[in-house]
Amino acid sequence: QVQLQESGPGLVKPSQTLSLTCTVSGGSITTNYYYWSWIRQPPGKGLEWMGAIAYSGSTYYSPSLKSRTSISRDTSKNQFTLQLSSVTPEDTAVYYCARDDGATTADFGSWGQGTQVTVSS
């Protein structure tokens, strides 16, 4: 049973970089053919897919966030990370990591519990 756990600071100042780590247990982030995603939900709004890193290490990003987003991984720790630069209060949200079990169609079968990140000075 794969489990995902988000971790990182809950408060980030405007203009700084938001950094979160997802620790995966019960399965390898290099296993074919899964994609490991970051998704967020601002207060009162819907879920927004931010990007993903594939089992191969290839990365994919939402066009609206691509310029500020970087996803990487540490296979030795079975972790993948999110960095979102130049944050503003609009980036305040609950951030989730999830495993995408689909191919061309998203299928998020496993999720972390989510972590609240507030952008404020």
Side-chain angles (χ1 to χ4, degrees):
Q1 181 87 315
V2 66
Q3 293 183 325
L4 296 85
Q5 177 71 57
E6 303 91 345
S7 62
L11 181 64
V12 184
K13 295 181 177 180
S15 82
Q16 295 186 339
T17 296
L18 181 159
S19 296
L20 296 174
T21 297
C22 184
T23 300
V24 179
S25 61
S28 173
I29 61 174
T30 63
T31 296
N32 302 0
Y33 296 96
Y34 296 129
Y35 293 73
W36 305 88
S37 294
W38 287 100
I39 301 155
R40 69 179 182 179
Q41 185 170 35
K45 299 182 179 179
L47 296 168
E48 178 185 24
W49 178 80
M50 303 180 69
I53 187 163
Y55 59 95
S56 63
S58 298
T59 53
Y60 308 85
Y61 300 104
S62 169
S64 64
L65 296 170
K66 185 176 182 178
S67 65
R68 298 194 292 133
T69 306
S70 179
I71 298 172
S72 58
R73 68 180 184 176
D74 185 338
T75 58
S76 69
K77 297 180 179 180
N78 213 36
Q79 296 176 330
F80 63 104
T81 61
L82 169 72
Q83 291 189 300
L84 182 66
S85 65
S86 303
V87 298
T88 73
E90 299 299 315
D91 294 310
T92 294
V94 176
Y95 285 75
Y96 300 91
C97 56
R99 188 181 74 183
D100 185 351
D101 305 333
T104 58
T105 302
D107 182 12
F108 298 107
S110 299
W111 295 68
Q113 84 285 358
T115 186
Q116 172 71 47
V117 179
T118 299
V119 179
S120 176
S121 60

